[in-house]
């Protein structure tokens, strides 16, 4: 264990930082037909050294999949640095009780606070992380630095923004 990771902790300080900064986790579950199902969750947060949580705002498929099979993987990646983590574990869907209330308060009062959390959240999903591994772009294998990779992607997004400003999408037909 490192000095920054308490005994028994699965989530390192860097893993927590990436989740805190990115907030968007891609949650993979197993559907009733045995095939994978992937859904982005913009409410992904660190709960403690061993758990991630996300709010079910409009996630009926994800919740149904987890109720039938709690196996889950969450990927959180910094799209600019092209680095992140994959978190594998088991999920519990919470709809009431003291832990539900505590996590709901966490969303209501968190950074940033979720507007209308109490009325918008249908259930909460707590993931016990059993294994966490880094995700790193193969670009790093070429000897590129994080600064060089980030600069490339900042340029890419600046180009997209410029094109959108000069050529906005036409209105969709009614």
């Amino acid at each position: 264990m490192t000095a920054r990771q308490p005994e028994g902790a699965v989530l390192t300080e860097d893993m927590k930082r990436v989740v805190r900064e990115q907030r968007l986790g891609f949650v993979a579950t197993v559907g009733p037909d045995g095939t994978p199902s992937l859904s982005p969750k913009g409410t992904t947060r660190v709960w403690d050294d061993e758990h991630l949580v996300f709010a079910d705002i409009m996630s009926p498929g994800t919740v149904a999949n987890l109720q039938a099979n709690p196996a889950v993987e969450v990927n959180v990646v910094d799209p600019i640095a092209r680095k992140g983590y994959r978190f594998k574990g088991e999920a519990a869907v919470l709809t009431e009780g003291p832990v539900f209330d505590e996590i709901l308060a966490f969303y209501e009062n968190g950074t940033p606070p979720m507007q209308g959390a109490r009325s918008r959240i249908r259930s909460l999903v707590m993931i016990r992380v059993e294994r966490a591994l880094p995700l790193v772009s193969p670009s790093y294998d070429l000897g590129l630095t994080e600064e060089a990779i980030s600069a490339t992607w900042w340029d890419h997004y600046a180009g997209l923004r410029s094109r959108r400003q000069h050529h906005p999408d036409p209105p969709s037909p009614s």
Side-chain angles (χ1 to χ4, degrees):
M1 295 284 150
T2 67
R4 303 178 81 178
Q5 185 175 1
E7 184 67 35
V10 176
L11 303 174
T12 66
E13 289 305 314
D14 191 59
M15 291 173 187
K16 292 176 186 180
R17 177 194 60 78
V18 171
V19 172
R20 210 173 30 251
E21 289 176 0
Q22 298 307 314
R23 295 191 222 149
L24 179 63
F26 290 87
V27 176
T29 60
V30 180
D33 61 357
T35 61
S37 179
L38 185 67
S39 184
K41 305 297 175 205
T43 59
T44 305
R45 302 291 187 274
V46 172
W47 180 246
D48 60 25
D49 290 341
E50 299 175 11
H51 295 88
L52 298 177
V53 294
F54 68 85
D56 163 20
I57 296 173
M58 299 209 38
S59 305
T62 300
V63 168
N65 288 348
L66 292 171
Q67 288 171 324
N69 180 346
V72 65
E73 179 171 320
V74 180
N75 286 199
V76 180
V77 177
D78 178 332
I80 300 297
R82 296 303 216 233
K83 289 182 179 179
Y85 294 95
R86 64 188 324 152
F87 306 99
K88 290 181 178 248
E90 282 199 1
V93 177
L94 308 172
T95 57
E96 62 184 4
V99 176
F100 175 89
D101 293 337
E102 191 177 347
I103 298 171
L104 184 60
F106 174 74
Y107 280 103
E108 289 178 316
N109 305 314
T111 307
M114 180 187 290
Q115 186 174 3
R118 193 161 296 272
S119 63
R120 295 174 63 207
I121 294 175
R122 299 175 186 185
S123 63
L124 295 161
V125 177
M126 178 177 271
I127 300 163
R128 181 174 47 83
V129 178
E130 297 167 353
R131 186 172 180 200
L133 297 169
L135 291 170
V136 181
S137 169
S139 296
Y140 288 95
D141 294 343
L142 300 172
L144 296 173
T145 65
E146 185 171 322
E147 292 75 23
I149 291 170
S150 294
T152 298
W153 287 103
W154 280 121
D155 289 347
H156 170 73
Y157 289 119
L160 290 176
R161 175 181 273 171
S162 176
R163 283 192 291 282
R164 287 180 186 155
Q165 289 172 345
H166 290 75
H167 306 286
D169 291 334
S172 48
S174 323

